[in-house]
């Protein structure tokens, strides 16, 4: 992974030096392990703080919304797809961006790692070959197979290489195909339940929610000037942690991502309670694929299905 | 696309879509009856998604 | 809470179903009284928010008609 880091620093330095961009957005080490944070490098001195490893799970596309400068941005597969979504939705211009593409092999699941040991994790190391992960803290040190501790969305990812980029920092990594992984297995399991079972399943899933809106804030798709949960005239959804209100919030949040979500996992990663909020967005992703043959962020040429009409759109739900 | 609602455990009979032209009053009555019938059939079941009374007013 | 009569919130498009409902009324046709009509300027005005807000406030069913 150090080669990735070096290459990112080298490219960023060059871009800033040549004045091609006003700033580069990338990752820097956070104050605690496994929490790398975004960094905006505006001069060449900053770029040495850029890093890249398996803890860069935040979606950087979140930070380019409505920006006016020329921006260099470090983008893994899902980030690049979200940038494409942003371009389609006129939230940024393609020529404002210089995309530094990072072929990605998945990000580590911090919830999984934290839960796997009793103590606090003080350091995390990945080997150069990208096969194992070692976490250590006061009195323990554990080594895991890297593939086993990936975020769920990463292990099911079909687009590990950036779809749009100006420069790649390494050779493309092999993509997984429909034959290797069954990405909608979890969704199908829920689909088979009866309405009551489904209700109970989501009741249980959302029972921990504290309405902190971290999932909303981490999501690159959520850029409305006023979010529906903050609207009070009329008020669509209560602000309490009443189960009904929690449910409505999650439902609407997920629904707003229909046909736009790239399953980057930023929502799950940011959730302080470890709720798998992808349970809803994944279903919408599946529906979009089945009904419209659409996957978000793969092209900047085409309009997304929910803002176009085609005569052959499915309509069997209409009486 | 509203099958997310169903996915989250709402009975499919609680949400209906239809397309009726302004000249089709008979179709309107027909669909209205059908929708009501389905709602009556579901009525016996527990009400979901309804806001419960807040604990603190 | 009454257990007999369900409450159905219906969102009707001004130009289509609302017209049909009007015509049904004018022609003195009978239809169930459980339906509470909300007229929307066009079905394009419909939003998921409306459905959820209706259910939240105690609707038994929601009917959207264009």
């Amino acid at each position: 992974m150090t080669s990735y880091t070096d290459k990112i620093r080298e490219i960023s330095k060059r871009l800033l030096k040549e004045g091609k961009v006003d700033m580069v957005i990338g990752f820097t080490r956070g104050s605690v392990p496994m929490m790398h944070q975004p960094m905006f490098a505006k001069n060449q001195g900053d770029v040495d703080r850029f890093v890249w490893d398996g803890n860069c799970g935040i979606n950087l596309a979140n930070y380019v919304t409505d920006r006016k400068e020329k921006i260099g941005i470090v983008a893994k597969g899902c980030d690049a797809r979200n940038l494409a979504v942003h371009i389609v939705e006129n939230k940024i211009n393609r020529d404002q961006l210089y995309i530094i593409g990072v072929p990605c092999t998945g990000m580590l699941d911090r919830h999984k790692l934290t839960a796997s040991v009793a103590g606090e994790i003080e350091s995390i190391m990945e080997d150069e070959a990208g096969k194992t992960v070692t976490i250590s803290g006061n009195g323990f040190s554990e080594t895991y197979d890297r593939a086993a501790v990936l975020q769920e969305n990463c292990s099911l990812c079909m687009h590990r290489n950036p779809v749009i980029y100006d420069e790649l920092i390494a050779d493309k990594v092999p993509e997984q195909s429909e034959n290797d992984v069954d990405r909608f297995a979890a969704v199908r399991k829920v689909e088979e339940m009866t309405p009551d079972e489904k209700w109970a399943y989501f009741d249980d899933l959302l029972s921990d929610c504290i309405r902190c809106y971290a999932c909303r804030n981490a999501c690159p798709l959520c850029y409305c000037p006023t979010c529906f949960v903050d609207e009070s005239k009329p008020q669509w959804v209560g602000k309490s942690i009443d189960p009904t209100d929690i449910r409505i919030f999650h439902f609407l949040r997920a629904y707003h991502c229909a046909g736009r979500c790239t399953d980057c996992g930023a929502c799950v990663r940011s959730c302080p309670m470890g709720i798998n909020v992808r349970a809803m967005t994944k279903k919408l992703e599946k529906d979009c694929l089945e009904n419209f043959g659409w996957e978000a962020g793969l092209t900047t040429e085409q309009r997304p299905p929910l803002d176009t009409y085609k005569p052959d759109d499915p309509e069997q739900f209409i009486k | 696309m509203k099958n997310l609602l169903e996915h989250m455990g709402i009975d499919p009979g609680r949400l209906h879509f239809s397309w009726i032209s302004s000249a089709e009053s008979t179709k309107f009555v027909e669909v209205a009856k059908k929708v009501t019938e389905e709602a009556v059939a579901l009525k016996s079941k527990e009400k979901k998604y309804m806001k419960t009374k807040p604990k603190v007013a | 809470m009454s257990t007999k009569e369900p409450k159905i919130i219906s969102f009707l498009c001004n130009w289509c179903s609302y017209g049909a409902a009007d015509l049904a009324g004018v022609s003195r046709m009978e239809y169930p009284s459980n339906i509470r009509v909300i007229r929307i300027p066009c079905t394009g005005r419909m939003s998921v928010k409306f459905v959820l807000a209706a259910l939240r406030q105690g609707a038994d069913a929601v009917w959207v008609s264009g």
Side-chain angles (χ1 to χ4, degrees):
Chain A
M1 286 293 150
T2 44
S3 61
Y4 273 38
T5 306
D6 291 343
K7 194 80 190 171
I8 288 172
R9 288 178 185 170
E10 183 196 313
I11 294 172
S12 318
K13 202 169 261 178
R14 196 190 72 224
L15 290 175
L16 286 165
K17 196 166 147 194
E18 289 171 0
K20 268 197 174 159
V21 297
D22 300 319
M23 65 174 177
V24 178
I25 307 180
F27 285 96
T28 188
R29 213 166 284 284
S31 48
V32 285
M34 300 188 293
M35 297 286 266
H36 284 5
Q37 58 197 34
M39 186 180 87
F40 295 35
K42 294 197 171 164
N43 55 58
Q44 294 174 50
D46 292 338
V47 301
D48 288 327
R49 281 165 38 219
F50 277 143
V51 290
W52 186 270
D53 56 26
N55 301 306
C56 301
I58 294 174
N59 196 324
L60 291 181
N62 207 2
Y63 299 94
V64 300
T65 315
D66 288 335
R67 286 254 171 202
K68 300 280 177 275
E69 317 82 326
K70 288 269 288 175
I71 299 171
I73 182 163
V74 177
K76 48 189 182 298
C78 45
D79 297 20
R81 286 174 69 194
N82 272 113
L83 288 171
V85 173
H86 262 65
I87 294 164
V88 167
E89 294 172 359
N90 297 325
K91 282 287 143 190
I92 190 91
N93 264 324
R94 177 67 182 92
D95 37 325
Q96 262 177 281
L97 293 173
Y98 190 93
I99 302 170
I100 307 168
V102 181
C104 167
T105 49
M107 292 294 144
L108 303 172
D109 188 333
R110 73 179 179 94
H111 295 299
K112 228 186 245 173
L113 287 171
T114 321
S116 69
V117 288
E120 192 182 322
I121 299 170
E122 283 163 10
S123 81
I124 177 160
M125 291 290 294
E126 286 173 69
D127 71 334
E128 266 312 300
K131 291 271 182 282
T132 60
V133 183
T134 308
I135 49 172
S136 52
N138 192 7
F140 67 87
S141 175
E142 298 276 350
T143 303
Y144 298 99
D145 187 9
R146 192 172 189 277
V149 288
L150 282 185
Q151 287 182 178
E152 194 195 15
N153 63 305
C154 293
S155 51
L156 302 178
C157 179
M158 300 275 161
H159 304 279
R160 298 181 144 179
N161 296 303
V163 284
I164 49 167
Y165 54 84
D166 295 295
E167 190 166 349
L168 277 182
I169 64 159
D171 292 334
K172 289 191 174 182
V173 292
E175 293 281 7
Q176 307 191 93
S177 76
E178 216 59 76
N179 306 328
D180 305 328
V181 284
D182 182 7
R183 52 178 162 162
F184 297 123
V187 176
R188 225 169 291 123
K189 219 166 93 191
V190 177
E191 277 172 358
E192 281 162 10
M193 296 180 188
T194 65
D196 285 340
E197 282 168 358
K198 286 176 184 168
W199 187 262
Y201 172 81
F202 282 102
D203 239 7
D204 185 49
L205 183 83
L206 300 175
S207 61
D208 286 336
C209 179
I210 55 172
R211 291 286 290 271
C212 65
Y213 303 143
C215 43
R216 178 195 74 182
N217 290 355
C219 182
L221 303 174
C222 284
Y223 53 67
C224 292
T226 309
C227 180
F228 68 93
V229 290
D230 299 326
E231 281 177 343
S232 53
K233 252 184 178 182
Q235 187 168 2
W236 303 107
V237 47
K239 295 177 194 299
S240 65
I241 51 164
D242 176 279
T244 313
D245 289 334
I246 291 182
R247 212 170 245 270
I248 293 180
F249 162 61
H250 280 285
F251 181 94
L252 255 179
R253 190 199 71 81
Y255 199 80
H256 284 168
C257 302
R260 309 162 66 215
C261 176
T262 59
D263 203 21
C264 70
C267 44
V268 178
R269 190 181 179 83
S270 64
C271 180
M273 307 304 282
I275 297 170
N276 181 22
V277 281
R278 284 176 49 248
M280 290 150 268
T281 46
K282 199 73 188 166
K283 162 72 177 165
L284 288 167
E285 202 190 323
K286 178 167 178 273
D287 283 351
C288 256
L289 190 63
E290 282 171 1
N291 290 333
F292 305 107
W294 170 265
E295 278 186 275
L298 295 186
T299 168
T300 52
E301 311 291 307
Q302 235 181 316
R303 299 301 303 172
L306 286 190
D307 72 354
T308 44
Y309 168 74
K310 289 204 196 86
D312 58 347
D313 279 346
E315 54 174 29
Q316 61 283 16
F317 65 94
I318 301 172
K319 282 204 183 88
Chain B
M1 290 302 289
K2 288 276 165 64
N3 35 17
L4 179 66
L5 204 62
E6 210 179 309
H7 188 64
M8 284 184 74
I10 291 284
D11 231 297
R14 290 189 64 188
L15 184 61
H16 302 263
F17 293 91
S18 62
W19 189 84
I20 300 165
S21 139
S22 59
E24 300 176 300
S25 58
T26 38
K27 185 177 173 188
F28 175 81
V29 174
E30 209 175 284
V31 179
K33 280 184 181 151
K34 217 155 71 193
V35 170
T36 314
E37 267 166 36
E38 283 196 42
V40 171
L42 283 170
K43 187 66 216 228
S44 52
K45 290 198 185 164
E46 191 194 352
K47 265 196 187 185
K48 282 169 182 168
Y49 250 114
M50 211 190 91
K51 172 85 172 147
T52 43
K53 288 253 163 64
K55 287 182 194 103
V56 195
Chain C
M1 206 63 55
S2 81
T3 44
K4 271 191 278 168
E5 289 301 314
K7 231 182 264 170
I8 300 164
I9 306 296
S10 49
F11 294 92
L12 306 185
C13 160
N14 186 22
W15 310 105
C16 311
S17 299
Y18 195 84
D22 196 30
L23 185 59
V26 167
S27 9
R28 296 177 159 267
M29 290 174 160
E30 250 183 68
Y31 60 88
S33 57
N34 310 71
I35 286 167
R36 314 293 147 94
V37 177
I38 296 175
R39 178 171 65 156
I40 49 177
C42 164
T43 330
R45 180 66 187 88
M46 199 52 211
S47 160
V48 201
K49 282 179 199 173
F50 302 168
V51 177
L52 291 176
L55 291 175
R56 173 174 179 260
Q57 286 168 37
D60 292 287
V62 176
W63 172 28
V64 182
S65 187

PDB file of all heavy atoms in Angstrom, chain A residues 258-280:
ATOM      1  N   ALA A 258     -32.587   6.118  -4.433  1.00  0.00           N
ATOM      2  CA  ALA A 258     -32.969   5.177  -5.483  1.00  0.00           C
ATOM      3  C   ALA A 258     -32.355   5.556  -6.819  1.00  0.00           C
ATOM      4  O   ALA A 258     -32.483   6.689  -7.258  1.00  0.00           O
ATOM      5  CB  ALA A 258     -34.488   5.121  -5.605  1.00  0.00           C
ATOM      6  N   GLY A 259     -31.691   4.607  -7.432  1.00  0.00           N
ATOM      7  CA  GLY A 259     -31.091   4.843  -8.733  1.00  0.00           C
ATOM      8  C   GLY A 259     -29.866   5.728  -8.686  1.00  0.00           C
ATOM      9  O   GLY A 259     -29.333   6.114  -9.717  1.00  0.00           O
ATOM     10  N   ARG A 260     -29.415   6.091  -7.471  1.00  0.00           N
ATOM     11  CA  ARG A 260     -28.247   6.952  -7.364  1.00  0.00           C
ATOM     12  C   ARG A 260     -27.190   6.313  -6.481  1.00  0.00           C
ATOM     13  O   ARG A 260     -26.018   6.628  -6.570  1.00  0.00           O
ATOM     14  CB  ARG A 260     -28.650   8.296  -6.743  1.00  0.00           C
ATOM     15  CG  ARG A 260     -29.836   8.943  -7.423  1.00  0.00           C
ATOM     16  CD  ARG A 260     -30.464  10.011  -6.551  1.00  0.00           C
ATOM     17  NE  ARG A 260     -29.553  11.124  -6.348  1.00  0.00           N
ATOM     18  CZ  ARG A 260     -29.471  11.832  -5.213  1.00  0.00           C
ATOM     19  NH1 ARG A 260     -30.231  11.521  -4.200  1.00  0.00           N
ATOM     20  NH2 ARG A 260     -28.616  12.819  -5.101  1.00  0.00           N
ATOM     21  N   CYS A 261     -27.629   5.429  -5.589  1.00  0.00           N
ATOM     22  CA  CYS A 261     -26.714   4.835  -4.616  1.00  0.00           C
ATOM     23  C   CYS A 261     -25.723   3.914  -5.323  1.00  0.00           C
ATOM     24  O   CYS A 261     -26.091   3.125  -6.179  1.00  0.00           O
ATOM     25  CB  CYS A 261     -27.513   4.040  -3.590  1.00  0.00           C
ATOM     26  SG  CYS A 261     -26.489   3.172  -2.403  1.00  0.00           S
ATOM     27  N   THR A 262     -24.452   4.060  -4.957  1.00  0.00           N
ATOM     28  CA  THR A 262     -23.424   3.213  -5.561  1.00  0.00           C
ATOM     29  C   THR A 262     -22.963   2.151  -4.577  1.00  0.00           C
ATOM     30  O   THR A 262     -21.998   1.468  -4.820  1.00  0.00           O
ATOM     31  CB  THR A 262     -22.223   4.057  -5.991  1.00  0.00           C
ATOM     32  OG1 THR A 262     -21.707   4.725  -4.834  1.00  0.00           O
ATOM     33  CG2 THR A 262     -22.609   5.080  -7.019  1.00  0.00           C
ATOM     34  N   ASP A 263     -23.641   2.054  -3.457  1.00  0.00           N
ATOM     35  CA  ASP A 263     -23.304   1.091  -2.424  1.00  0.00           C
ATOM     36  C   ASP A 263     -21.850   1.258  -1.958  1.00  0.00           C
ATOM     37  O   ASP A 263     -21.097   0.307  -1.858  1.00  0.00           O
ATOM     38  CB  ASP A 263     -23.528  -0.345  -2.937  1.00  0.00           C
ATOM     39  CG  ASP A 263     -23.737  -1.323  -1.794  1.00  0.00           C
ATOM     40  OD1 ASP A 263     -24.095  -0.864  -0.698  1.00  0.00           O
ATOM     41  OD2 ASP A 263     -23.529  -2.527  -1.999  1.00  0.00           O
ATOM     42  N   CYS A 264     -21.484   2.504  -1.664  1.00  0.00           N
ATOM     43  CA  CYS A 264     -20.111   2.764  -1.247  1.00  0.00           C
ATOM     44  C   CYS A 264     -19.896   2.423   0.217  1.00  0.00           C
ATOM     45  O   CYS A 264     -18.767   2.297   0.679  1.00  0.00           O
ATOM     46  CB  CYS A 264     -19.742   4.227  -1.488  1.00  0.00           C
ATOM     47  SG  CYS A 264     -20.587   5.389  -0.401  1.00  0.00           S
ATOM     48  N   GLY A 265     -20.987   2.285   0.961  1.00  0.00           N
ATOM     49  CA  GLY A 265     -20.867   1.854   2.355  1.00  0.00           C
ATOM     50  C   GLY A 265     -20.508   2.950   3.335  1.00  0.00           C
ATOM     51  O   GLY A 265     -20.277   2.677   4.503  1.00  0.00           O
ATOM     52  N   ALA A 266     -20.506   4.200   2.884  1.00  0.00           N
ATOM     53  CA  ALA A 266     -20.152   5.302   3.782  1.00  0.00           C
ATOM     54  C   ALA A 266     -21.159   5.417   4.928  1.00  0.00           C
ATOM     55  O   ALA A 266     -20.792   5.743   6.053  1.00  0.00           O
ATOM     56  CB  ALA A 266     -20.084   6.612   3.016  1.00  0.00           C
ATOM     57  N   CYS A 267     -22.435   5.121   4.625  1.00  0.00           N
ATOM     58  CA  CYS A 267     -23.478   5.231   5.651  1.00  0.00           C
ATOM     59  C   CYS A 267     -23.247   4.220   6.766  1.00  0.00           C
ATOM     60  O   CYS A 267     -23.300   4.545   7.943  1.00  0.00           O
ATOM     61  CB  CYS A 267     -24.860   5.038   5.017  1.00  0.00           C
ATOM     62  SG  CYS A 267     -24.975   3.688   3.844  1.00  0.00           S
ATOM     63  N   VAL A 268     -22.962   2.988   6.370  1.00  0.00           N
ATOM     64  CA  VAL A 268     -22.744   1.944   7.370  1.00  0.00           C
ATOM     65  C   VAL A 268     -21.487   2.251   8.173  1.00  0.00           C
ATOM     66  O   VAL A 268     -21.454   2.118   9.387  1.00  0.00           O
ATOM     67  CB  VAL A 268     -22.600   0.570   6.689  1.00  0.00           C
ATOM     68  CG1 VAL A 268     -22.316  -0.503   7.719  1.00  0.00           C
ATOM     69  CG2 VAL A 268     -23.850   0.231   5.921  1.00  0.00           C
ATOM     70  N   ARG A 269     -20.460   2.692   7.466  1.00  0.00           N
ATOM     71  CA  ARG A 269     -19.202   2.970   8.117  1.00  0.00           C
ATOM     72  C   ARG A 269     -19.345   4.074   9.160  1.00  0.00           C
ATOM     73  O   ARG A 269     -18.748   4.025  10.228  1.00  0.00           O
ATOM     74  CB  ARG A 269     -18.181   3.392   7.050  1.00  0.00           C
ATOM     75  CG  ARG A 269     -16.791   3.479   7.589  1.00  0.00           C
ATOM     76  CD  ARG A 269     -15.810   3.926   6.536  1.00  0.00           C
ATOM     77  NE  ARG A 269     -14.492   4.017   7.124  1.00  0.00           N
ATOM     78  CZ  ARG A 269     -13.680   3.003   7.272  1.00  0.00           C
ATOM     79  NH1 ARG A 269     -14.035   1.817   6.849  1.00  0.00           N
ATOM     80  NH2 ARG A 269     -12.514   3.158   7.846  1.00  0.00           N
ATOM     81  N   SER A 270     -20.161   5.073   8.832  1.00  0.00           N
ATOM     82  CA  SER A 270     -20.244   6.209   9.733  1.00  0.00           C
ATOM     83  C   SER A 270     -21.187   5.955  10.906  1.00  0.00           C
ATOM     84  O   SER A 270     -21.164   6.692  11.876  1.00  0.00           O
ATOM     85  CB  SER A 270     -20.717   7.440   8.963  1.00  0.00           C
ATOM     86  OG  SER A 270     -22.022   7.207   8.504  1.00  0.00           O
ATOM     87  N   CYS A 271     -22.015   4.932  10.808  1.00  0.00           N
ATOM     88  CA  CYS A 271     -23.022   4.724  11.859  1.00  0.00           C
ATOM     89  C   CYS A 271     -22.369   4.372  13.189  1.00  0.00           C
ATOM     90  O   CYS A 271     -21.657   3.382  13.283  1.00  0.00           O
ATOM     91  CB  CYS A 271     -24.005   3.626  11.466  1.00  0.00           C
ATOM     92  SG  CYS A 271     -25.262   3.352  12.721  1.00  0.00           S
ATOM     93  N   PRO A 272     -22.607   5.185  14.218  1.00  0.00           N
ATOM     94  CA  PRO A 272     -21.985   4.906  15.510  1.00  0.00           C
ATOM     95  C   PRO A 272     -22.584   3.687  16.198  1.00  0.00           C
ATOM     96  O   PRO A 272     -21.989   3.128  17.109  1.00  0.00           O
ATOM     97  CB  PRO A 272     -22.266   6.179  16.318  1.00  0.00           C
ATOM     98  CG  PRO A 272     -23.485   6.749  15.717  1.00  0.00           C
ATOM     99  CD  PRO A 272     -23.455   6.392  14.260  1.00  0.00           C
ATOM    100  N   MET A 273     -23.777   3.294  15.764  1.00  0.00           N
ATOM    101  CA  MET A 273     -24.425   2.158  16.403  1.00  0.00           C
ATOM    102  C   MET A 273     -24.238   0.867  15.598  1.00  0.00           C
ATOM    103  O   MET A 273     -24.738  -0.179  15.982  1.00  0.00           O
ATOM    104  CB  MET A 273     -25.933   2.428  16.569  1.00  0.00           C
ATOM    105  CG  MET A 273     -26.270   3.726  17.265  1.00  0.00           C
ATOM    106  SD  MET A 273     -25.501   3.868  18.866  1.00  0.00           S
ATOM    107  CE  MET A 273     -26.574   2.834  19.841  1.00  0.00           C
ATOM    108  N   GLY A 274     -23.568   0.966  14.477  1.00  0.00           N
ATOM    109  CA  GLY A 274     -23.311  -0.228  13.675  1.00  0.00           C
ATOM    110  C   GLY A 274     -24.537  -0.818  13.013  1.00  0.00           C
ATOM    111  O   GLY A 274     -24.642  -2.020  12.839  1.00  0.00           O
ATOM    112  N   ILE A 275     -25.474   0.038  12.611  1.00  0.00           N
ATOM    113  CA  ILE A 275     -26.671  -0.457  11.929  1.00  0.00           C
ATOM    114  C   ILE A 275     -26.359  -0.663  10.446  1.00  0.00           C
ATOM    115  O   ILE A 275     -25.725   0.185   9.818  1.00  0.00           O
ATOM    116  CB  ILE A 275     -27.836   0.547  12.063  1.00  0.00           C
ATOM    117  CG1 ILE A 275     -28.205   0.701  13.534  1.00  0.00           C
ATOM    118  CG2 ILE A 275     -29.036   0.106  11.258  1.00  0.00           C
ATOM    119  CD1 ILE A 275     -29.162   1.839  13.799  1.00  0.00           C
ATOM    120  N   ASN A 276     -26.823  -1.763   9.930  1.00  0.00           N
ATOM    121  CA  ASN A 276     -26.599  -2.023   8.508  1.00  0.00           C
ATOM    122  C   ASN A 276     -27.666  -1.301   7.681  1.00  0.00           C
ATOM    123  O   ASN A 276     -28.627  -1.899   7.223  1.00  0.00           O
ATOM    124  CB  ASN A 276     -26.633  -3.526   8.242  1.00  0.00           C
ATOM    125  CG  ASN A 276     -26.376  -3.831   6.796  1.00  0.00           C
ATOM    126  OD1 ASN A 276     -25.797  -3.021   6.074  1.00  0.00           O
ATOM    127  ND2 ASN A 276     -26.811  -4.989   6.346  1.00  0.00           N
ATOM    128  N   VAL A 277     -27.475   0.003   7.475  1.00  0.00           N
ATOM    129  CA  VAL A 277     -28.492   0.762   6.753  1.00  0.00           C
ATOM    130  C   VAL A 277     -28.539   0.403   5.271  1.00  0.00           C
ATOM    131  O   VAL A 277     -29.455   0.794   4.561  1.00  0.00           O
ATOM    132  CB  VAL A 277     -28.298   2.286   6.917  1.00  0.00           C
ATOM    133  CG1 VAL A 277     -28.824   2.737   8.253  1.00  0.00           C
ATOM    134  CG2 VAL A 277     -26.855   2.702   6.770  1.00  0.00           C
ATOM    135  N   ARG A 278     -27.565  -0.360   4.826  1.00  0.00           N
ATOM    136  CA  ARG A 278     -27.569  -0.770   3.420  1.00  0.00           C
ATOM    137  C   ARG A 278     -28.690  -1.754   3.106  1.00  0.00           C
ATOM    138  O   ARG A 278     -28.983  -2.006   1.944  1.00  0.00           O
ATOM    139  CB  ARG A 278     -26.231  -1.395   3.061  1.00  0.00           C
ATOM    140  CG  ARG A 278     -25.113  -0.397   2.863  1.00  0.00           C
ATOM    141  CD  ARG A 278     -23.806  -1.103   2.594  1.00  0.00           C
ATOM    142  NE  ARG A 278     -23.921  -2.110   1.571  1.00  0.00           N
ATOM    143  CZ  ARG A 278     -23.821  -3.420   1.783  1.00  0.00           C
ATOM    144  NH1 ARG A 278     -23.581  -3.867   2.977  1.00  0.00           N
ATOM    145  NH2 ARG A 278     -23.943  -4.270   0.802  1.00  0.00           N
ATOM    146  N   ALA A 279     -29.288  -2.310   4.140  1.00  0.00           N
ATOM    147  CA  ALA A 279     -30.372  -3.279   3.911  1.00  0.00           C
ATOM    148  C   ALA A 279     -31.462  -2.687   3.028  1.00  0.00           C
ATOM    149  O   ALA A 279     -32.114  -3.402   2.272  1.00  0.00           O
ATOM    150  CB  ALA A 279     -30.964  -3.726   5.241  1.00  0.00           C
ATOM    151  N   MET A 280     -31.648  -1.361   3.124  1.00  0.00           N
ATOM    152  CA  MET A 280     -32.690  -0.732   2.321  1.00  0.00           C
ATOM    153  C   MET A 280     -32.175  -0.296   0.951  1.00  0.00           C
ATOM    154  O   MET A 280     -32.806  -0.543  -0.063  1.00  0.00           O
ATOM    155  CB  MET A 280     -33.266   0.460   3.063  1.00  0.00           C
ATOM    156  CG  MET A 280     -34.070   0.036   4.247  1.00  0.00           C
ATOM    157  SD  MET A 280     -34.033   1.255   5.562  1.00  0.00           S
ATOM    158  CE  MET A 280     -32.663   0.711   6.527  1.00  0.00           C
TER     159      MET A 280
END
